[in-house]
Amino acid sequence: MTFTQTHALRGRGRLGIRLAAVALAGATVVTLAPAAAMAAAPAGTAGASGISGTSGAEARAGGVDAQAELQAFIADGSSTAAFAEVRQNGRRIWRGAAGTSDLTTGQPVRPDGRFRIGSVTKTFVSTVALQLVAEGKLRLDEPVERYLPGVVPNGGAISVRQLLNHTSGLYDYLEDPRFFYRDEASLREYVYGPSRRQDYRPEQLVAIGVAHAPYFAPGQGWKYSNTNYVLAGMLIGKLTGNSWQREVERRIVKPLHLDDTVFPRSETGVRGPHAHAYAKLQEGPADITRLNMTVADAAGNGISTPADLNRFHAALFGGKLLRPAEQAELTRTVPTGSGHSSYGLGVAQADFGCGPLWGHDGGLPGWGTLLFGTADGKRQVALSYNPYEGTDQSGLDAAVVNVAIKTLCGGAAAPAGAVADAAAGLSTLRGASAAGATH
């Protein structure tokens, strides 16, 4: 979930598998196969559809033309599709798409399609938690034990704030060996076996996480852990009597008219137009679009569009969802171990070479997401791409950062080293660890 595999759910700063060589948004390196064994993407992925929702003049006026950056995702076969949208002052100033949404039919990518957002879900969940703080139902510095008695060992020493900013030390359940694959055989099991359709209850996921020793004592470090946000979802349920999904829909989705944003339960498909997700096997691409997202729960179970995510970012950072006191808590950050990033409550602050920007990234097997924008909510970019799992994805971090720089930094060329530095910061934000990471 960026910032996760049931035999594949894990890795790339995402709640998802990371089948190649570097993680983006807080992931650890998980190598599936030597570079020599990684073939190019199947025929059909190299085409582009530079569909723009604005005229060329408007795009130029906004200083945005990121089509070449989208092309970079598919040029080396590491992704099958990519699309993005940029908004400024509530108006779309550019959108584009590259690649193929369905390798069977050759259908081009639609820039308004839906996609799995992975750990960007965390920002929705933290926003609801902060609304509960404003209502006096939740206190950030109260222990988890007060709200979920007996659920977390040492829960009396772990605060709600430490869950939301990843300083609890709790082990990330998605780093448990049952959630990653190690080779093509275990990837094949993920593709064809029952794990992608398995139901999980949040209590099960937490139990897997707390069965492992914590990374550190509460408050004594920073480590991205999806366990934290499964617990946050449970907190919302306990305090409201409703599922976290229902509260996110009631408090955020409906008021903002995010009509293409959903937080499914056990449904495995993606409704509406969308690009498919694929894994590379010896016999060719295998469609891995279907996934039971209960494995991610409140840490990464969301589906949206670029337009909806941008509207959400604009409302959140424009002060429409939180009072000033809770807005300040949202953006009170802790260091992540990278000089280029820090983490607040479900949002990250990152520097792409033009000053601090705010947002989150996300990932799942075959899906990657980036949502970042300015602190005042006036400008944002939402990006979706489909990593071709099983291929060398070591260049994807730089491709993601290049889109952010092009669209959020005025279109100017990045300073020397900015791309590498920002990519390293994103990797940290996903919670890199020696064993492999997630997000």
Side-chain angles (χ1 to χ4, degrees):
M1 291 158 217
T2 224
F3 262 120
T4 150
Q5 92 188 271
T6 29
H7 295 84
L9 257 186
R10 161 194 153 99
R12 217 197 166 74
R14 352 179 252 213
L15 184 199
I17 36 184
R18 187 33 163 130
L19 302 180
V22 179
L24 158 72
T28 309
V29 177
V30 179
T31 300
L32 267 194
M38 296 179 179
T45 63
S49 56
I51 304 171
S52 175
T54 56
S55 71
E58 289 173 312
R60 286 192 296 275
V64 176
D65 183 5
Q67 190 63 38
E69 283 68 25
L70 288 183
Q71 290 295 128
F73 281 88
I74 64 170
D76 63 357
S78 59
S79 294
T80 55
F83 54 103
E85 179 186 280
V86 181
R87 287 200 171 220
Q88 184 165 308
N89 296 322
R91 293 178 60 250
R92 184 179 68 216
I93 62 171
W94 180 86
R95 70 176 178 178
T100 307
S101 64
D102 188 327
L103 299 183
T104 301
T105 65
Q107 182 178 357
V109 178
R110 288 181 51 161
D112 60 348
R114 294 184 176 187
F115 54 91
R116 299 192 188 278
I117 66 174
S119 281
V120 175
T121 302
K122 291 180 172 70
T123 309
F124 287 86
V125 171
S126 67
T127 300
V128 170
L130 286 167
Q131 289 178 344
L132 293 174
V133 171
E135 294 165 11
K137 298 176 181 177
L138 182 66
R139 293 183 179 181
L140 291 173
D141 296 311
E142 286 292 318
V144 175
E145 183 69 15
R146 173 178 175 179
Y147 303 105
L148 298 174
V151 174
V152 181
N154 198 31
I158 299 172
S159 70
V160 173
R161 183 188 303 276
Q162 289 167 342
L163 294 181
L164 298 178
N165 68 12
H166 297 297
T167 60
S168 71
L170 290 173
Y171 185 89
D172 185 348
Y173 71 94
L174 286 171
E175 289 192 356
D176 183 276
R178 76 189 74 188
F179 290 110
F180 29 127
Y181 58 72
R182 300 155 298 283
D183 48 30
E184 183 169 342
S186 52
L187 173 59
R188 186 175 294 276
E189 193 282 332
Y190 172 73
V191 172
Y192 296 117
S195 61
R196 284 195 293 129
R197 295 167 177 80
Q198 182 172 342
D199 264 317
Y200 288 91
R201 291 180 292 105
E203 294 82 2
Q204 289 177 288
L205 303 177
V206 171
I208 293 169
V210 301
H212 293 267
Y215 299 118
F216 46 78
Q220 300 304 303
W222 187 89
K223 176 67 173 70
Y224 194 94
S225 175
N226 291 292
T227 306
N228 291 325
Y229 273 77
V230 175
L231 285 164
M234 292 172 65
L235 277 171
I236 291 170
K238 183 69 175 292
L239 294 172
T240 66
N242 297 318
S243 68
W244 67 266
Q245 289 102 323
R246 183 174 178 184
E247 288 299 307
V248 168
E249 290 161 358
R250 184 175 72 84
R251 294 167 177 266
I252 301 174
V253 173
K254 290 183 179 179
L256 296 182
H257 302 287
L258 306 182
D259 298 332
D260 292 308
T261 299
V262 295
F263 298 89
R265 277 67 172 178
S266 299
E267 183 177 355
T268 61
V270 179
R271 298 187 183 186
H274 62 276
H276 290 233
Y278 294 94
K280 177 184 176 295
L281 299 178
Q282 289 184 351
E283 62 270 28
D287 194 318
I288 56 171
T289 303
R290 288 193 171 275
L291 177 64
N292 184 330
M293 287 303 299
T294 58
V295 70
D297 195 61
N301 182 1
I303 293 171
S304 191
T305 62
D308 274 10
L309 287 188
N310 279 336
R311 283 197 292 269
F312 168 57
H313 186 284
L316 178 59
F317 286 91
K320 296 180 179 179
L321 293 175
L322 297 174
R323 302 185 314 176
E326 286 71 44
Q327 194 83 22
E329 297 290 2
L330 177 81
T331 54
R332 183 194 294 185
T333 64
V334 293
T336 63
S338 166
H340 309 282
S341 64
S342 57
Y343 201 90
L345 302 186
V347 294
Q349 184 188 72
D351 190 343
F352 295 98
C354 59
L357 298 164
W358 292 90
H360 216 291
D361 73 329
L364 292 159
W367 309 84
T369 303
L370 184 80
L371 174 65
F372 265 84
T374 55
D376 58 8
K378 291 184 177 180
R379 187 178 179 99
Q380 48 279 133
V381 61
L383 162 72
S384 174
Y385 58 102
N386 295 90
Y388 186 31
E389 303 294 359
T391 64
D392 181 0
Q393 297 167 16
S394 58
L396 288 184
D397 287 354
V400 170
V401 170
N402 276 324
V403 169
I405 290 172
K406 184 76 172 186
T407 58
L408 296 176
C409 295
V419 173
D421 290 348
L426 276 181
S427 182
T428 300
L429 287 175
R430 294 171 191 177
S433 73
T438 97
H439 284 331

